[in-house]
Amino acid sequence: MIRDDAEALRTAAGLAEEFRPGASGRDARRELPRAELDRLTATGLLAVTVPAEHGGADVSAVTLAEVFRLLASADASLAQIPQSHFAYVNVLRQQGSPEQRAFFFAEVLAGRRFGNAQSEAGTKHLQDIRTRLVAAGDGSYRLTGVKNYSTGALFADWIPVLARADDELLHVAYVPADAPGLTVTDDWDGMGQRTTASGTVELADVVVPAAHVVPHHLTFTGPQLHGALAQLLHAAIDAGIAAGALAEAVGFVTTRSRPWFESGYETAAEDPLLVQRFGELALRHRAADALLATAARAVDTARPALDDDSAAEASIAVAAAKAYSGSTALEIADALFEVSGTRAALDGLNLHRHWRDARTHTLHDPARWKIQHLGRYVLNGARPPRHGLL
């Protein structure tokens, strides 16, 4: 059991060092990190946002963002897997009944993992959710639909499913992974985030007790931090990818790269043009980390007295961090080859995994819309909309 923020950070830093050496091989072989995820779970790190009154550490958003940044700097796929776990712990914090919170928080403290069955392919747009939650005569529900990009579902004990009820309002049904009628298929074949097992979840008339259904639509009827917290973790993953790629570039240039013959220096690390480029990349990296920390503090500041203004400020701060960290991860992962030279492109070195992870992860939602909301907020004072992506 992790008891406080400091212990959470120490644990995450230690796990990152454990996971880093095997990350490239797992990616190259598409070897799912079951043992590593079990190790992460065993530390208690997945329970750190359980409220204190239920026995959890209830760590700050600043700490949680840093936990994800550290893990992603070592293995971006592994860091991505529990992102939905924390998002759906937060759903229970916001809209779960006292009985639901008591039951599911005890599950999390016991080491149970939440997955994700949220997105659907082939619909009109992202929020065109067609999975149905139909009330049955006995007080339970029946759940039917197909979900894609279901990160974490293959490793989960519980799979939260986003669905529309008869009134078309959104609910989250928490379904045991072994429920009859539920099938998880490991068919994710993305070029990056290769070991997240973000495959398909099929639901065929799955029975769900009413006690396991949460009215998620109520989250967005007033000021909310659900979207900001979920997006903060995505920003932390991008910042972690940037950190990992920069460290890889430093290691390669200082140990393997040759100096350009015109430079007059004995080593590549002394080349003033490379020094300049690394300075530029370090500046981007530091700025991304600073924006991430600022965004996390905005979330923490808003929590005690949440209103429209504090919620808007948190959402905007997170949007800025997400837009910037995503572009930073892509730039540094690309510059890794620019500064390292031809040998860095050898497939066997698998240095391209950083770019593949960054390019894939940053496709979750478009940064251009975050920048739009930033512009509207600063120019016209328009608060961002209430939804799960801000």
Side-chain angles (χ1 to χ4, degrees):
M1 182 71 70
I2 291 175
R3 295 296 179 186
D4 55 33
D5 292 63
E7 187 178 356
L9 291 172
R10 288 194 302 271
T11 301
L15 288 173
E17 292 310 306
E18 285 184 36
F19 298 155
R20 183 171 286 108
S24 177
R26 287 190 294 273
D27 173 88
R29 297 185 297 271
R30 199 183 176 276
E31 181 181 290
L32 299 183
R34 294 182 183 275
E36 289 76 17
L37 190 59
D38 287 343
R39 170 79 178 108
L40 188 157
T41 305
T43 66
L45 203 58
L46 296 184
V48 295
T49 59
V50 170
E53 60 267 28
H54 289 275
D58 205 3
V59 302
S60 67
V62 169
T63 293
L64 189 61
E66 180 63 7
V67 164
F68 270 78
R69 192 195 69 82
L70 287 166
L71 293 175
S73 73
D75 185 336
S77 286
L78 182 56
Q80 177 65 35
I81 292 169
Q83 189 272 341
S84 291
H85 169 90
F86 285 99
Y88 284 104
V89 169
N90 193 48
V91 168
L92 290 162
R93 287 187 68 141
Q94 301 306 309
Q95 299 302 336
S97 68
E99 295 77 17
Q100 287 173 327
R101 290 197 293 269
F103 174 78
F104 282 111
F105 290 155
E107 287 286 282
V108 174
L109 288 169
R112 310 288 189 266
R113 293 191 289 254
F114 291 163
N116 150 48
Q118 180 170 291
S119 295
E120 299 177 12
T123 57
K124 185 176 180 180
H125 51 69
L126 186 67
Q127 293 194 338
D128 180 19
I129 302 297
R130 300 182 183 180
T131 298
R132 307 304 302 185
L133 185 69
V134 179
D138 59 1
S140 66
Y141 292 87
R142 300 295 187 271
L143 193 58
T144 301
V146 178
K147 297 291 189 176
N148 306 92
Y149 316 122
S150 302
T151 304
L154 193 68
F155 311 105
D157 300 288
W158 291 89
I159 301 177
V161 180
L162 192 63
R164 293 197 184 277
D166 296 334
D167 55 10
E168 297 300 323
L169 296 176
L170 283 174
H171 293 70
V172 174
Y174 289 74
V175 182
D178 60 355
L182 186 152
T183 304
V184 181
T185 304
D186 177 21
D187 56 2
W188 169 245
D189 64 349
M191 68 174 181
Q193 302 287 84
R194 295 178 64 185
T195 61
T196 59
S198 301
T200 300
V201 171
E202 296 179 73
L203 305 134
D205 205 30
V206 176
V207 177
V208 184
H212 294 172
V213 176
V214 176
H216 189 40
H217 60 95
L218 296 178
T219 301
F220 306 104
T221 59
Q224 55 87 31
L225 295 174
H226 174 76
L229 184 65
Q231 288 293 298
L232 180 71
L233 302 187
H234 283 304
I237 291 169
D238 289 336
I241 294 172
L246 183 58
E248 195 98 65
V250 169
F252 197 95
V253 169
T254 56
T255 62
R256 306 185 69 168
S257 293
R258 296 180 295 180
W260 184 246
F261 69 95
E262 293 178 286
S263 72
Y265 288 94
E266 290 296 315
T267 66
E270 296 173 283
D271 183 337
L273 298 181
L274 278 180
V275 169
Q276 175 71 22
R277 186 62 175 131
F278 270 94
E280 294 167 349
L281 298 176
L283 186 61
R284 286 278 273 164
H285 170 231
R286 285 173 176 264
D289 284 356
L291 281 170
L292 179 67
T294 297
R297 286 194 297 271
V299 173
D300 283 330
T301 298
R303 273 175 167 164
L306 187 64
D307 59 23
D308 284 330
D309 290 333
S310 61
E313 183 57 35
S315 289
I316 288 296
V318 172
K322 179 65 168 63
Y324 194 86
S325 63
S327 63
T328 298
L330 286 166
E331 180 180 344
I332 295 178
D334 181 68
L336 166 58
F337 299 95
E338 170 198 336
V339 298
S340 299
T342 306
R343 277 188 292 176
L346 294 176
D347 193 56
L349 296 177
N350 200 26
L351 296 179
H352 47 68
R353 73 184 184 280
H354 300 289
W355 184 89
R356 290 187 287 102
D357 285 342
R359 183 65 281 175
T360 302
H361 184 255
T362 53
L363 297 176
H364 273 84
D365 51 280
R368 58 187 177 271
W369 273 99
K370 298 185 184 303
I371 295 169
Q372 277 283 312
H373 292 306
L374 277 164
R376 293 169 184 172
Y377 186 71
V378 71
L379 184 61
N380 301 314
R383 297 188 186 105
R386 295 170 180 162
H387 58 64
L389 296 176
L390 275 172

